[in-house]
Amino acid sequence: MSNPPFFHDASGAVHFWVPIDGALVGASIRKETLHYCYRSTAVDDQPLETYQRHAQEIDAAVRRRVSGGSVEPVMVRDYDLHEAVGKGIE
């Protein structure tokens, strides 16, 4: 991959790119979202490492958002990772 994911301190988010229809779509996910969704009991979580462990699921969320009309850059939210929450499907 020519654009590896990285943690951007100033924004507090991991920035990454997802291949969609032959193009790389820029996206990001905040460290708080990663913590809440994947490591809520951790005190030493590393956002980049957490993203890398769950990249497949997070990238799929970006693809869903883009197919739903979102444009770049896509900010992945808690809701994107837990779509059933709040819909009575839990």
Side-chain angles (χ1 to χ4, degrees), residues 7-43:
F7 181 72
H8 183 251
D9 251 343
S11 65
V14 173
H15 294 257
F16 58 99
W17 292 263
V18 179
I20 301 175
D21 297 330
L24 289 176
V25 174
S28 62
I29 183 167
R30 293 192 43 81
K31 66 181 179 182
E32 293 84 1
T33 301
L34 289 163
H35 174 79
Y36 172 73
C37 292
Y38 298 110
R39 306 226 32 222
S40 61
T41 60
V43 293

Side-chain angles (χ1 to χ4, degrees), residues 23-68:
L24 289 176
V25 174
S28 62
I29 183 167
R30 293 192 43 81
K31 66 181 179 182
E32 293 84 1
T33 301
L34 289 163
H35 174 79
Y36 172 73
C37 292
Y38 298 110
R39 306 226 32 222
S40 61
T41 60
V43 293
D44 63 344
D45 46 338
Q46 298 294 315
L48 183 56
E49 180 183 317
T50 302
Y51 164 76
Q52 290 170 327
R53 286 186 180 180
H54 301 280
Q56 195 169 25
E57 179 182 354
I58 296 166
D59 291 359
V62 172
R63 288 186 182 92
R64 285 192 301 274
R65 291 277 304 280
V66 170
S67 72

Side-chain angles (χ1 to χ4, degrees), residues 2 21 26 65 81 87:
S2 61
D21 297 330
R65 291 277 304 280
L81 301 172
K87 291 185 177 179

